[in-house]
Amino acid sequence: MKRTLLCLTAFALLGACKKDPDTTKPDDPKPGDTGGAPGDTGGAVTPGVPQEPDPPAIAQARDQYILGNFDKAKEILEPLTADLKARQQLRASGLSAGWLALSVVEPVAENAKEPAEHAVAMGDQTADKEVQVIAKLALGAYQLGMDEDANAATNFEAAYKLQSDGPNAGLALVLYGEAKINMAFGGEDKDQIANPGELDSAASTFVKAQRTATAPGSELIAARALEGLASVANYKKNFKEACTQAEEALKIYAAKSAGQALVERIEAIKDAANCGKSPAAAKAPAK
């Protein structure tokens, strides 16, 4: 993943984020292709299998992902997804697998491949909009991690349009904006901005995400939109604006006890823009 907010300005600080060089890019995901994992039905379901309500653990794991506690989300979702798949719970396993893919895509994008594929298969089989939205976000995150930025952007935009008033619309826009930042650099291993218009498009998308994330409980999505705006401003060398937006995002992260992964991303922007140490960062809890 080259320029996403998981990487941000890291190419100038720590070196660009990349997929594992020892791995080979898998074939493009196909609905129902789950790689034959144990207990995986490959999308087939035994007729008459009773479908149960979504386990509360899915919502709990989503909360951990939004907080930036990706390891905690993974701990919840890995055994849960395996169990739901084994019991052929279509909607629930699709949601669980989708959030799992989003939680494990960093640092090795290939880890998201199988759960993203399962989410896509369950979205197709159930025709459930929420499952389809999460599946598109999961597949897009995997593609972003594999430097397939245009395909990722297409999936993120489609997820938003599929349920623009849904609970994950703001997240879809944030991820879409991140893909647009990547696209501004014109592809893999390019450190120079080749498509500056994509930065403008990303900024507009982050502003839209802010406006979408107004409901109680969506403050962290709004903060990630601010983080995106800070990243765009930094790449445009508008360092004062970058520092202002980054500080606003950091205040929200500190207030909501966001995970260290989110805090570190903001600090990377601030370091690149020479913002200095902030009071919010000092108050942010270690995770």
Side-chain angles (χ1 to χ4, degrees), residues 82-225:
D83 174 67
L84 291 169
K85 287 167 65 175
R87 296 191 295 108
Q88 299 187 41
Q89 297 300 301
L90 306 187
R91 171 183 153 87
S93 70
L95 291 175
S96 184
W99 288 114
L100 177 59
L102 286 162
S103 300
V104 301
V105 72
E106 287 292 334
V108 181
E110 286 84 352
N111 291 341
K113 180 179 185 289
E114 188 277 329
E117 289 175 354
H118 182 78
V120 170
M122 295 302 97
D124 290 344
Q125 190 160 338
T126 63
D128 183 295
K129 274 192 176 182
E130 187 178 354
V131 178
Q132 291 173 342
V133 166
I134 300 306
K136 289 181 183 299
L137 297 183
L139 180 57
Y142 166 71
Q143 291 168 331
L144 202 61
M146 299 301 297
D147 299 319
E148 298 173 16
D149 303 322
N151 290 336
T154 296
N155 273 303
F156 295 145
E157 184 180 26
Y160 172 73
K161 289 182 175 179
L162 185 62
Q163 201 173 38
S164 61
D165 59 348
N168 299 302
L171 176 61
L173 288 171
V174 165
L175 294 173
Y176 183 46
E178 293 180 7
K180 286 289 188 177
I181 290 178
N182 279 23
M183 292 169 68
F185 285 83
E188 188 175 5
D189 295 330
K190 293 186 179 181
D191 292 341
Q192 300 299 317
I193 294 174
N195 306 302
E198 296 291 3
L199 288 180
D200 295 329
S201 178
S204 297
T205 301
F206 290 130
V207 169
K208 189 173 182 179
Q210 267 188 296
R211 294 171 179 168
T212 300
T214 56
S218 61
E219 294 88 353
L220 283 164
I221 297 300
R224 286 186 63 171

Side-chain angles (χ1 to χ4, degrees), residues 247 250-251 254-255 263 267 270 275-285:
E247 188 60 37
L250 193 56
K251 286 178 183 177
V263 174
E267 291 298 340
K270 294 186 66 181
C275 302
K277 198 69 176 176
S278 68
K283 296 177 182 177

Side-chain angles (χ1 to χ4, degrees), residues 66-67 210 213-215 217-227 244-259 262-263 266 278-281 283-285 287:
I66 297 297
L67 275 168
Q210 267 188 296
T214 56
S218 61
E219 294 88 353
L220 283 164
I221 297 300
R224 286 186 63 171
L226 287 166
E227 181 183 325
T244 298
Q245 301 285 14
E247 188 60 37
E248 288 301 310
L250 193 56
K251 286 178 183 177
I252 298 173
Y253 288 158
K256 295 294 180 181
S257 298
L262 297 184
V263 174
I266 287 289
S278 68
K283 296 177 182 177
K287 293 288 181 182

Side-chain angles (χ1 to χ4, degrees), residues 15-31:
C17 297
K18 295 180 183 237
K19 55 184 176 284
D20 188 340
D22 295 328
T23 58
T24 302
K25 178 179 172 182
D27 295 336
D28 290 338
K30 298 179 178 60

